[in-house]
């Protein structure tokens, strides 16, 4: 049975490794501090010559002598500016194909570590989304995610949809779901997502697509079971609390911007639409997202729904919604699309080409495009190739791709340098084995 002291020892060891990784990635030197005090001035050697000591038997240690404390490591997080600067250097040295690959997050339904590693190694993809088909027991999942670090200096973003309740890929998550947390205080939400974040990190996962910032009281809506609050005020406080709870462990994503509140239909199979005005959105659905952004959520997931009074296109493909996210809500992190395969599943003829969907999303303002549904092992690599070709032809600007790639690489550096997948998990967040 694991003891708390052994967990703390591993935590310090892993934190030390994370500090070294961060320093090396950003071109610095890891800071090491000693718990021993500096010698007093009187203990310093004299400038005058001293006689050679006469050999004698070693003195017996005093019973009251205190053994010297072990050295400790001071872990200092790199600043966002430092990650961005290093990311810009890395992206500048990338080939067009590497830049295109890093803005694509793919998926294959396999639990075999070598199969998944080969998939990532041969494609330059910037991320991988774990689904149920990838997850067995906890140790198997950790072995799988460990194998994904093809380049430990720049690991991929490894993501999961771990909301709890109905949307759970890690079946051993016992923390309360959103449906339960709606009836409890925001403090309960923070505690639940701290447990969930630790559990996700223990599995070697760096990103959780797990914070639903949509708000609705409509029980017929497909999203109702998953919202943290039925009113904007209730959702706002709990979304901020969820981000605060998770942030020490994983990178949080808010979803599904700009919010499913005014619609009932399931965007996995259609493109829901509402005629709600921007003014109405600002007073209701915007508020939980703004709270999560203010709490420093580093990712926002763009939803496949249309606010036709704002723009007829789905938000994931709408330049206006990306502008609102950046300019009006002040978001500076990574904007990731919801699964682009959902657009294909809508049956709409204009969205049947997954590569074109990816190019359109990036042109609109997305930084990371995600593909799962209706995809094959070749879908994500084909997207990357199509994105590179679009830059070469002028369909997608090189500046836009560079901007997106830099944001994604900065987040990859942050995930790797912070050692997020190396944190210990004890007590209720630990998983049963076998």
């Amino acid at each position: 049975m694991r003891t708390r002291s052994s967990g703390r020892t591993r935590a310090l060891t892993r934190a030390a490794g994370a500090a070294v990784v961060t320093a090396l990635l950003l071109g610095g030197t890891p800071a090491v501090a000693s718990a021993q005090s500096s010698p007093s001035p009187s203990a310093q050697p004299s400038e005058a010559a001293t006689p050679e000591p006469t050999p004698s038997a070693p003195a017996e240690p005093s019973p009251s002598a205190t053994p010297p404390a072990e050295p400790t490591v001071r872990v200092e997080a790199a600043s966002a500016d430092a990650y961005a600067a290093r990311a810009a250097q890395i992206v500048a040295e990338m080939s067009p194909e590497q830049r295109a690959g890093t803005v694509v997050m793919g998926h294959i339904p396999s639990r075999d570590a070598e199969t998944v590693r080969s998939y990532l190694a041969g494609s330059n993809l910037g991320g991988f989304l774990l689904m149920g088909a990838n997850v067995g027991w906890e140790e198997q999942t950790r072995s799988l995610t460990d194998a994904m670090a093809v380049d430990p200096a720049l690991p991929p973003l490894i993501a999961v949809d771990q909301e709890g309740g109905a949307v759970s890929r890690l079946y051993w998550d016992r923390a309360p779901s959103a449906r339960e947390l709606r009836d409890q205080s925001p403090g309960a939400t923070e505690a639940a997502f701290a447990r969930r974040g630790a559990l996700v990190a223990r599995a070697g996962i760096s990103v959780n697509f797990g914070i639903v910032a949509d708000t609705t009281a409509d029980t017929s809506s497909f999203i109702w079971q998953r919202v943290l609050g039925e009113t904007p005020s209730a959702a706002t406080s709990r979304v901020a609390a969820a981000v605060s709870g998770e942030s020490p462990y994983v990178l949080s994503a808010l979803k599904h911007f700009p919010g499913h509140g005014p619609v009932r239909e399931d965007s996995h199979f259609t493109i829901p639409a509402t005629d709600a005005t921007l003014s109405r959105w600002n007073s209701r659905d915007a508020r939980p997202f703004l709270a999560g952004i203010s709490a420093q959520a580093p990712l926002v997931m763009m939803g496949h729904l249309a606010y036709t009074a704002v723009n007829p296109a789905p938000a994931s493909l709408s330049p206006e919604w990306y502008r609102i996210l950046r300019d009006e809500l002040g978001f500076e992190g990574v904007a990731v699309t919801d699964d682009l395969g959902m657009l294909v599943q809508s049956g709409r003829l204009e969205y049947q080409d997954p590569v074109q969907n990816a190019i359109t999303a990036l042109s609109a303002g997305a930084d990371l495009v995600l593909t799962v549904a209706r995809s094959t092992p070749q879908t994500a690599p084909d997207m990357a190739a199509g994105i590179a070709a679009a830059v070469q032809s002028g369909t997608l600007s090189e500046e836009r791709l560079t901007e997106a790639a830099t944001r994604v690489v900065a987040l990859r550096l942050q995930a790797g340098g912070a050692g997020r997948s190396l944190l210990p998990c004890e007590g209720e967040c630990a998983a049963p084995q076998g």
Side-chain angles (χ1 to χ4, degrees), residues 214-233:
D214 311 84
T215 178
T216 183
D218 185 350
T219 58
S220 67
S221 169
F222 91 100
I223 204 72
W224 176 77
Q225 288 279 359
R226 298 160 58 191
V227 302
L228 284 163
E230 294 186 337
T231 66
S233 295

Side-chain angles (χ1 to χ4, degrees), residues 162-168 172-185 187-197 199 208 210 225-228 242 246 428:
Q162 192 63 28
E163 300 173 17
V167 180
S168 290
W172 53 91
D173 180 359
R174 302 186 188 93
S177 67
R179 180 67 188 87
E180 299 169 280
L181 292 169
R182 289 207 295 258
D183 300 323
Q184 302 178 40
S185 70
T189 298
E190 182 171 356
F193 276 84
R195 286 173 55 188
R196 183 161 291 126
L199 176 144
N208 188 18
Q225 288 279 359
R226 298 160 58 191
V227 302
L228 284 163
E246 276 195 342
E428 292 183 332

Side-chain angles (χ1 to χ4, degrees), residues 41-264:
S42 61
Q44 298 300 319
S46 168
E47 293 182 3
T50 56
E52 289 294 325
T54 303
S56 60
E60 291 293 326
S62 168
S64 61
T66 302
E70 294 183 4
T72 59
V73 175
R74 183 176 70 253
V75 180
E76 297 179 350
S79 68
D81 288 344
Y83 284 122
R86 180 65 182 126
Q89 294 173 351
I90 292 172
V91 171
E93 296 170 1
M94 284 180 169
S95 68
E97 291 74 20
Q98 289 172 323
R99 291 177 196 168
T102 205
V103 301
V104 179
M105 177 175 280
H107 165 80
I108 55 172
S110 175
R111 295 180 184 176
D112 182 73
E114 284 306 313
T115 299
V116 174
R117 183 180 177 87
S118 297
Y119 169 73
L120 289 171
S123 60
N124 296 314
L125 298 183
F128 187 96
L129 179 65
L130 290 169
M131 299 293 286
N134 303 115
V135 178
W137 62 95
E138 186 186 39
E139 289 302 323
Q140 170 271 325
T141 305
R142 181 57 195 246
S143 295
L144 183 68
T145 56
D146 283 347
M148 293 183 192
V150 177
D151 179 2
L154 189 62
L157 294 174
I158 304 173
V160 70
D161 292 298
Q162 192 63 28
E163 300 173 17
V167 180
S168 290
R169 313 303 181 207
L170 308 182
Y171 65 86
W172 53 91
D173 180 359
R174 302 186 188 93
S177 67
R179 180 67 188 87
E180 299 169 280
L181 292 169
R182 289 207 295 258
D183 300 323
Q184 302 178 40
S185 70
T189 298
E190 182 171 356
F193 276 84
R195 286 173 55 188
R196 183 161 291 126
L199 176 144
V200 169
R202 180 180 171 87
I205 300 165
S206 54
V207 176
N208 188 18
F209 294 147
I211 300 180
V212 174
D214 311 84
T215 178
T216 183
D218 185 350
T219 58
S220 67
S221 169
F222 91 100
I223 204 72
W224 176 77
Q225 288 279 359
R226 298 160 58 191
V227 302
L228 284 163
E230 294 186 337
T231 66
S233 295
T236 292
S237 58
R238 287 167 178 78
V239 166
V243 175
S244 296
E246 276 195 342
S247 61
Y249 308 104
V250 293
L251 300 165
S252 298
L254 310 174
K255 61 185 188 183
H256 311 79
F257 188 83
H260 281 275
V263 299
R264 295 178 178 178

Side-chain angles (χ1 to χ4, degrees), residues 4-57:
R4 289 192 179 275
S5 60
S6 65
R8 291 192 188 97
T9 301
R10 281 194 300 275
L12 284 173
T13 302
R14 289 162 173 170
V20 172
V21 171
T22 302
L24 294 177
L25 287 177
L26 301 179
T29 303
V32 179
S34 173
Q36 294 173 292
S37 61
S38 300
S40 65
S42 61
Q44 298 300 319
S46 168
E47 293 182 3
T50 56
E52 289 294 325
T54 303
S56 60

